[in-house]
Amino acid sequence: MTDAPFHVLIIGGGTGGMALAHGLKRAGISFAVYEREQTRSAGLHGYRVGINPDGSRALKYLLPPELFDTFRATCARAPKYFSFLREDLKPSLTLGLVDSDDPVNSEKSVSRMTLRQVLLTGIEDAVHFGKTFTHYEKEADGRLTAYFDDGTSATGDLLVAADGTNSRVRRQYLPHARVKDAGIISVTAKVPITPESKALLPPEVFQGIGLVVAPKGSSCILHTMEFGWDRAGRIKNGIGGNDAELLKRWPGLLFDNTRDYINWGFWASADKFPPDVLKKSPDELIETVLDMTPDWSPSLRKLFSMGDRQTTFPINIRTSVPIPRWSAGNITLLGDAIHTMTPGQGVGANTALRDAARLCSGLIQYVRGDTTLLEAIDAYEEKMVRYGFEAVKESLKQTGGDQPLHKPVIGRAALAAMRGYFWVARHVPAVRKKMAQDLYLDRGGDREEYGRLVPPGEN
């Protein structure tokens, strides 16, 4: 590395931006993160993130080794199954997820708040909280100055938009890049794990992930999250020695109130919900879900009613509209700031991590003198735009309001065809095995691109 005064401004302290920051720190590249939340534990960050092999490899590349080990120790118990369920909670098909002892190339579950605390560990002094970006200006020397609503500003050589779906950087830099409603509304909540709530789910669902596919296009995802610490924040008995030691030393646990829970998320096309659903109170949201599921399993309805009201909220699912490539400059974007996607494939956070790894590698090449800054950004954006917008399109196919499942007549035929396919897969081992393998591969199970990235090294 050189001692050139190259400095990166990262707008947004979410998953992608913070992961990039760690990679830059390991590479000795100057950076600062500007986060609009006031503190490291502010904001709504308490729900599950599925980290697939793509995301896990990116974190392995970007994080210091001990922090990556801490990330693994803070993950919830890994899911063993993926179950497709009817609304009566009977399984249409249960797939065994690819079982891997590989610490990197495996599926992981982590709480958003926990992941946030992991990514803030060790770089707290470079994160500026309470900084809401307003706009940027280009200086005479080509550098960029970012301005914030508290009257402060910061100047750097590269501006990275990591400020999410409503990115203000994108709005100024690429005003033609739009985000639109996907036509889906979701209501989600957490239920603390107790003997009563655990008994409501079949064993395979409790030990894995459940997806209810019901008539009228209604669906529900079920995740069980069990961590290495108990309700009092103490390390649980039976946690391995190395993991227990990492958790004891990890300062993030002081800021993390995550405890074992079941997370449910119910969704349907927007026209199935009351017009004012996004303004309803938590109690009203629970009642809305119960009103929309009168024929569902009593156990599921009980689980809905047990939703912690402080964690119950509606989501208007949105998606980016893909745009053609733009000319590279000293402003770039990652994650939801450029390719917001529906949760259809569960790869949003993983794609942001993939972005961060690729961008970090390109910047390392630049500061080493192997390429120009514009060449590095152009190479990053060429790949990011391709795989990012492909993920946007595929996710919308899975979770979009114009899917056949949501249509009045054709929806019944589509659901019958889906259940027929599940029946075949349940009775034909080769089909079932291929479905499980495809699920693994779709989530980056065999991607090898990280081995070709320039390693960030250590300070």
Side-chain angles (χ1 to χ4, degrees):
M1 307 300 299
T2 70
D3 293 327
F6 177 72
H7 184 65
V8 181
L9 306 177
I10 301 173
I11 308 300
T15 299
M18 294 301 297
L20 172 63
H22 275 284
L24 296 180
K25 180 176 180 179
R26 293 186 69 198
I29 298 175
S30 176
F31 71 92
V33 179
Y34 297 88
E35 164 61 32
R36 67 183 177 186
E37 299 290 359
Q38 295 293 325
T39 67
R40 66 182 288 166
S41 58
L44 188 60
H45 306 284
Y47 299 89
R48 177 187 183 269
V49 181
I51 300 296
N52 66 20
D54 255 341
S56 189
R57 284 193 293 268
L59 287 170
K60 176 68 173 178
Y61 170 80
L62 294 162
L63 300 183
E66 183 172 289
L67 190 58
F68 179 77
D69 291 342
T70 300
F71 156 71
R72 290 180 52 227
T74 59
C75 288
R77 169 181 49 77
K80 295 182 179 179
Y81 307 99
F82 194 105
S83 297
F84 295 92
L85 306 159
R86 300 168 57 98
E87 67 275 14
D88 58 7
L89 210 50
K90 293 179 180 177
S92 296
L93 175 66
T94 297
L95 300 175
L97 295 178
V98 173
D99 187 14
S100 174
D101 293 330
D102 189 317
V104 180
N105 298 308
S106 54
E107 199 75 26
K108 300 175 180 66
S109 293
V110 65
S111 160
R112 287 187 183 275
M113 177 58 85
T114 304
L115 181 58
R116 178 176 175 82
Q117 299 311 318
V118 168
L119 293 177
L120 279 164
T121 299
I123 56 173
E124 296 90 341
D125 59 345
V127 180
H128 304 274
F129 290 100
K131 297 292 182 181
T132 299
F133 173 88
T134 59
H135 67 287
Y136 65 81
E137 293 180 2
K138 183 159 274 193
E139 304 298 335
D141 61 1
R143 303 179 83 206
L144 293 158
T145 298
Y147 292 87
F148 306 97
D149 68 355
D150 61 359
T152 61
S153 62
T155 300
D157 301 279
L158 175 68
L159 181 67
V160 179
D163 50 343
T165 300
N166 298 315
S167 171
R168 292 185 176 184
V169 179
R170 182 192 67 238
R171 197 177 306 159
Q172 182 179 354
Y173 183 52
L174 301 173
H176 59 293
R178 297 189 300 112
V179 176
K180 68 177 183 179
D181 292 349
I184 295 288
I185 301 291
S186 176
V187 176
T188 187
K190 295 198 304 187
V191 178
I193 293 180
T194 63
E196 180 185 12
S197 62
K198 180 178 179 179
L200 296 173
L201 296 179
E204 292 82 3
V205 177
F206 187 81
Q207 295 177 42
I209 300 169
L211 176 61
V212 179
V213 184
K216 301 181 181 179
S218 298
S219 297
C220 179
I221 194 76
L222 299 161
H223 297 123
T224 300
M225 303 288 283
E226 292 186 293
F227 301 95
W229 52 92
D230 63 19
R231 290 182 178 274
R234 297 172 301 222
I235 309 305
K236 289 180 179 176
N237 292 330
I239 299 299
N242 187 53
D243 283 358
E245 187 59 33
L246 286 169
L247 291 173
K248 288 176 183 176
R249 298 203 312 265
W250 176 50
L253 195 56
L254 298 173
F255 302 91
D256 189 355
N257 63 357
T258 301
R259 301 296 182 260
D260 294 352
Y261 63 88
I262 299 167
N263 177 206
W264 59 260
F266 171 87
W267 72 87
S269 58
D271 61 324
K272 305 293 195 309
F273 284 88
D276 61 345
V277 63
L278 297 176
K279 299 178 181 178
K280 287 184 177 293
S281 69
D283 281 324
E284 292 171 329
L285 289 170
I286 298 292
E287 286 303 315
T288 296
V289 173
L290 291 173
D291 288 344
M292 294 175 68
T293 57
D295 300 323
W296 284 37
S297 158
S299 292
L300 270 178
R301 287 169 53 79
K302 178 66 174 176
L303 194 69
F304 295 154
S305 70
M306 293 170 67
D308 177 359
R309 272 39 175 187
Q310 291 186 332
T311 69
T312 303
F313 65 93
I315 307 171
N316 181 23
I317 305 296
R318 306 179 74 197
T319 183
S320 291
V321 178
I323 59 173
R325 277 290 310 281
W326 54 93
S327 298
N330 60 339
I331 300 171
T332 193
L333 312 92
L334 62 75
D336 285 348
I338 183 60
H339 45 61
T340 293
M341 59 195 72
T342 76
Q345 290 194 310
V347 297
N350 295 286
T351 309
L353 291 170
R354 192 176 175 187
D355 295 347
R358 296 205 68 89
L359 178 56
C360 182
S361 178
L363 295 180
I364 292 171
Q365 293 179 67
Y366 162 62
V367 298
R368 287 180 175 176
D370 298 336
T371 186
T372 68
L373 179 60
L374 290 187
E375 288 171 342
I377 298 303
D378 186 64
Y380 157 69
E381 291 179 346
E382 190 277 326
K383 292 185 181 296
M384 178 273 289
V385 166
R386 186 174 67 247
Y387 67 68
F389 285 146
E390 180 64 23
V392 167
K393 293 176 183 178
E394 291 302 313
S395 295
L396 187 58
K397 287 180 185 178
Q398 298 295 323
T399 312
D402 59 353
Q403 288 178 285
L405 281 170
H406 300 288
K407 306 302 180 184
V409 177
I410 195 175
R412 291 194 290 272
L415 180 61
M418 181 183 293
R419 288 179 172 173
Y421 181 69
F422 290 155
W423 185 92
V424 171
R426 190 169 70 245
H427 292 87
V428 180
V431 176
R432 189 168 63 250
K433 181 179 179 180
K434 186 178 185 305
M435 283 187 69
Q437 187 67 16
D438 287 347
L439 183 64
Y440 178 68
L441 296 178
D442 286 346
R443 294 178 64 74
D446 66 344
R447 228 184 304 276
E448 298 179 355
E449 64 182 283
Y450 297 97
R452 297 190 290 271
L453 300 184
V454 180
E458 297 291 350
N459 290 331

